[in-house]
Amino acid sequence: MTSQVVVSGPDEALPALRAAAPGRVCVVPLPSSGGPAAVRALWDVEFLVLEHQRTDLLPVLGELPALRVVQTLIAGAEWLEPYLPDRVRLSRPAGARDNAVAEWVAAALLGLASGLLLAVREQCQRRWRRTVSAELAGARAVLVGAGSIGRCARDKLAGLGASVTVVARTGRAGVHPVTELDDLVAEADAVVLLVPATAGTAGLVGAGLLARMPDGAVLVNAARGTVVDTAALTAEVLAGRLLAVLDVTDPEPLPPDHPLWTAPGCFLSPHIAGATRQGKARAIEAAADLLARYARGEG
């Protein structure tokens, strides 16, 4: 490693990156677009901070000879991993967005149970229609995913009085193995997805599992769209049997004519569960901290 590390990242992260290791880093802005110009602009960059919106830069990562570390600003990295050379270390801002996603999950279930989500939809039609609502306290939620986000969401929902059952790939104390998921969802008022996009989670929630969910249950997806069979979920929602609150879809975004846009039992948000100001600030802080340690030669 040279005496000075060349680092690049989004404009709003540059002040924190500059302050991370004064005299040890040289900070350059990200290029405005990908392609050959980006290769030239990033030629000497050793440490790159990357947002998931900058997919235009992904094809050039393998052409950057100095690149050694890529730090993302979100937890998921399936969009990035196929483009990383073996010599490049991938780092993620562990925990930075846990609270944001957990609050979105709680808001989704509270909004649905209380009738607020439905009332907002009725407002758009200028309809004043009172309905009988429910309370989240006492609801049975199956939470699929036992990572740091899952644990934070579990605590939020339990604090609101919900009965939470956690499921992960392998079972352990307080966590059920995914092999029990079919049986667990049969008793659930809500199934919450908080797993990463992997080969093992692709299509995890298919027609069979959805069919086992009770009438009136809700599927909440704050994971990745590929975890759910969109066609199977659409059929259940259009039939009026299940409800859905989705922050992610497959494909993403949905085509303009997709029936889930207007399905009465479906509520969509545009992949914003973790997109809080505080979450991004924590992610940038994590990137700056890692850069400081890297610049000091600590790995």
Side-chain angles (χ1 to χ4, degrees):
M1 180 164 50
T2 62
S3 58
Q4 194 172 57
V5 176
V6 180
V7 58
S8 186
D11 288 349
E12 61 191 299
L14 297 187
L17 297 177
R18 289 193 181 97
R24 294 177 181 266
V25 299
C26 172
V27 180
V28 298
L30 287 177
S32 59
S33 61
V39 175
R40 293 191 294 270
L42 300 173
W43 188 260
D44 296 321
V45 168
E46 190 172 340
F47 192 109
L48 180 64
V49 180
L50 202 58
E51 293 187 283
H52 64 286
Q53 296 96 332
R54 291 306 308 271
T55 55
D56 58 312
L57 295 178
L58 297 182
V60 311
L61 297 183
E63 301 179 48
L64 305 180
L67 188 64
R68 293 295 180 270
V69 177
V70 173
Q71 168 80 32
T72 72
L73 293 181
I74 62 171
E78 76 285 349
W79 54 279
L80 170 61
E81 289 170 331
Y83 296 90
L84 287 183
D86 292 339
R87 59 182 164 78
V88 177
R89 169 188 170 185
L90 171 64
S91 181
R92 314 173 200 195
R97 300 182 187 261
D98 292 0
N99 188 68
V101 177
E103 286 191 356
W104 181 93
V105 169
L109 290 176
L110 282 170
L112 194 62
S114 67
L116 180 59
L117 286 177
L118 181 59
V120 170
R121 179 166 288 172
E122 295 289 284
Q123 177 189 356
C124 294
Q125 304 299 321
R126 302 188 181 188
R127 287 196 293 256
W128 184 270
R129 182 179 299 172
R130 300 185 66 196
T131 58
V132 176
S133 59
E135 297 176 5
L136 191 55
R140 300 161 299 179
V142 172
L143 199 157
V144 187
S148 61
I149 295 176
R151 293 192 297 272
C152 190
R154 174 202 61 198
D155 293 345
K156 295 279 187 196
L157 297 180
L160 291 167
S163 172
V164 184
T165 300
V166 180
V167 177
R169 181 173 57 184
T170 56
R172 49 194 179 274
V175 178
H176 294 258
V178 73
T179 52
E180 297 178 8
L181 184 58
D182 278 7
D183 292 333
L184 291 172
V185 301
E187 303 295 327
D189 299 304
V191 176
V192 180
L193 306 177
L194 290 169
V195 292
T198 66
T201 62
L204 175 65
V205 179
L209 189 139
L210 291 169
R212 291 187 62 82
M213 291 174 61
D215 291 355
V218 57
L219 180 75
V220 177
N221 192 359
R224 288 294 185 267
T226 54
V227 177
V228 178
D229 181 331
T230 302
L233 177 62
T234 301
E236 292 281 13
V237 171
L238 291 181
R241 204 184 70 79
L242 296 182
L243 302 167
V245 185
L246 310 175
D247 188 53
V248 290
T249 60
D250 182 30
E252 188 174 303
L254 291 171
D257 60 349
H258 197 282
L260 284 180
W261 283 111
T262 55
C266 183
F267 301 86
L268 299 169
S269 64
H271 205 148
I272 58 171
T276 63
R277 292 186 298 274
Q278 297 91 333
K280 190 165 191 179
R282 287 190 292 267
I284 290 173
E285 182 181 352
D289 179 68
L290 179 63
L291 173 62
R293 288 186 281 119
Y294 182 82
R296 292 193 299 264
E298 297 176 7

